[in-house]
Amino acid sequence: MALDSEKYLGNVSEEIGIIGAGYVGLVASGCFSSFGFNVSVVEVDAKKIQTLKEKKIPFYEPGLAELVEDGLASDCLQFYSSTKELFAASQPDVIFIAVGTPENPDGSCNLSYVEQAVKDVVATASMDTVLVLKSTVPVGTARKMKALIKSLNPKHRIAIVNNPEFLKEGSAVSDFLRPERVVLGGEDEWALDKVKALYQSLLHNGRPLFVTDHETAELGKLSANLMLASRISVINQVSRLADAFGADVRQVESILRSDSRIGSKYLYAGMGYGGSCFPKDVKDFIHLCKEKGVESSVAESIQNFNESQKLFFLADIRKNFPVAKSPVIAILGLAFKPETDDIRESPALALIEALSKDGYSLRILDPKAMDNVRTWIKNKPAEKTTFFAKNLAECLQGADALVLATEWQEYQRLALGGLRRVFKGKKVYDGKNVFRPEQVKDWGFQYMGVGRY
């Protein structure tokens, strides 16, 4: 529903606080500052604060650097090292918690950073404050934080509102500025009105606003990621059967996408999903099911199949390029998806680890993720068998086989004819189905896609 501007105009906060300058927090900070709000960001990592004050973004996200630079130039965006320092410099009555919720060994979410943020606000807030849970959290977290706040006996009124993010890495700024929906969870009308008012300019385009209880908002976020992950695993399952029968999964995808009941998004066969959200949230969903005694076999199947899909090409590489013959495997694309430098749970890294364990020599390249991979690979066995190429020619030099693991645009352009000029090896493993099999074969290469030959 669209917001009534007159109703919420008097509730708009001029100052906003955001705890956490990671992916979610920094995108929200840059976007809110572009609306003219004074945004104060708390980040405990002193090195990251210095980097941000120098107008440098610690990760790659299109359009974000410009927003942060503009926010700093206009003084709408400030960075602080503690909540105490924030309240000494400003008076925000709405504070977003956008800290990490890393995965525990049992698949549950580690809420220690969220809890610490709540404690810090309760200890330092100088007025009635709305705490907005922007971090992805398990169902029941808001209730736990309410109990925590009550136990701390705050001097001021502290209310909790859920506001899960639905950003896609690589298009996060656009997703924030043009949301498909805004979800708020809570029971305190005063607090809900405060947060609604912040989004009024974004919701005039007719996109829906959902106001629910805490648990529904929390489950809505986890369920969205489970559904999207399921589509990826289902089409990858279909690709396995396409392989067995010699069918073309790309045409199967087109048939499915033409059905309005199924739709077109996240229906592309490949090497599986990765990133910071889908793997963690599917595991958390499974953990919550087990915690409540709920059947979780569907979610478990999604997770297990995706892990196996990351190594889809491994058996064929072993068969056609025996390690005893000292082959060289080139891998193009290391980030879990294009337009990001995020390598968390990347299928390419799973393949690198497996091939290196076998003893293969690797040459790797990515437009944005090389530094992150250098950090990830340090002191791992793969470090000794992996060469970091500076450019495409260097990556493919002497390679016997090529694996396209991430569909960056510059790699997709190889399908227009550039591949035969730069690659002198024998086989192309198309992990994103961007090449035309018959064309690759005409160029003199063997071809293997995901559900395509």
Side-chain angles (χ1 to χ4, degrees), residues 10 44 49 228 252 337 356 408-409:
V44 297
I49 287 182
L228 295 174
V252 174
K337 63 181 290 189
S356 296
W408 288 92
Q409 281 294 326

Side-chain angles (χ1 to χ4, degrees), residues 83-85 87-88 95 118-127 156:
T83 306
K84 184 176 181 180
E85 187 180 342
F87 277 110
I95 298 181
V118 170
K119 291 177 182 178
D120 289 345
V121 171
V122 172
T124 55
S126 55
M127 62 180 71
H156 301 278

Side-chain angles (χ1 to χ4, degrees), residues 284-422:
D284 187 39
F285 192 98
I286 294 168
H287 177 81
L288 291 171
C289 286
K290 291 181 176 179
E291 189 177 72
K292 292 294 185 181
V294 174
E295 172 66 43
S296 61
S297 59
V298 171
E300 290 179 53
S301 295
I302 292 167
Q303 176 194 0
N304 294 336
F305 191 89
N306 187 68
E307 289 305 304
S308 70
Q309 190 69 11
K310 292 178 179 181
L311 302 180
F312 179 73
F313 293 129
L314 184 59
D316 194 87
I317 292 173
R318 287 170 171 168
K319 176 183 176 182
N320 289 286
F321 301 93
V323 71
K325 294 185 178 181
S326 301
V328 176
I329 312 297
I331 299 179
L332 292 181
L334 309 172
F336 86 94
K337 63 181 290 189
E339 301 302 326
T340 181
D341 61 356
D342 194 342
I343 61 170
R344 286 172 289 184
E345 301 284 348
S346 170
L349 301 194
L351 185 60
I352 287 172
E353 282 198 304
L355 290 172
S356 296
K357 185 177 180 180
D358 283 354
Y360 286 92
S361 296
L362 307 176
R363 302 176 77 86
I364 63 175
L365 182 66
D366 188 279
K368 298 294 181 182
M370 296 293 269
D371 288 343
N372 287 340
V373 176
R374 285 190 179 92
T375 300
W376 166 82
I377 208 171
K378 192 173 182 180
N379 298 324
K380 287 184 170 66
E383 185 177 22
K384 298 179 180 179
T385 61
T386 303
F387 174 77
F388 286 74
K390 296 183 180 67
N391 52 52
L392 190 62
E394 192 173 67
C395 183
L396 299 180
Q397 182 180 358
D400 298 285
L402 159 65
V403 180
L404 177 66
T406 311
E407 68 276 32
W408 288 92
Q409 281 294 326
E410 48 261 62
Y411 302 155
Q412 291 191 48
R413 286 195 289 269
L414 293 174
L416 300 177
L419 181 64
R420 57 183 169 179
R421 291 194 296 272
V422 295

Side-chain angles (χ1 to χ4, degrees), residues 25 83 111 148 164 225 228 234 257 332 346 378 429:
T83 306
L111 292 175
L148 175 60
N225 282 349
L228 295 174
V234 166
R257 288 195 295 268
L332 292 181
S346 170
K378 192 173 182 180
Y429 292 95

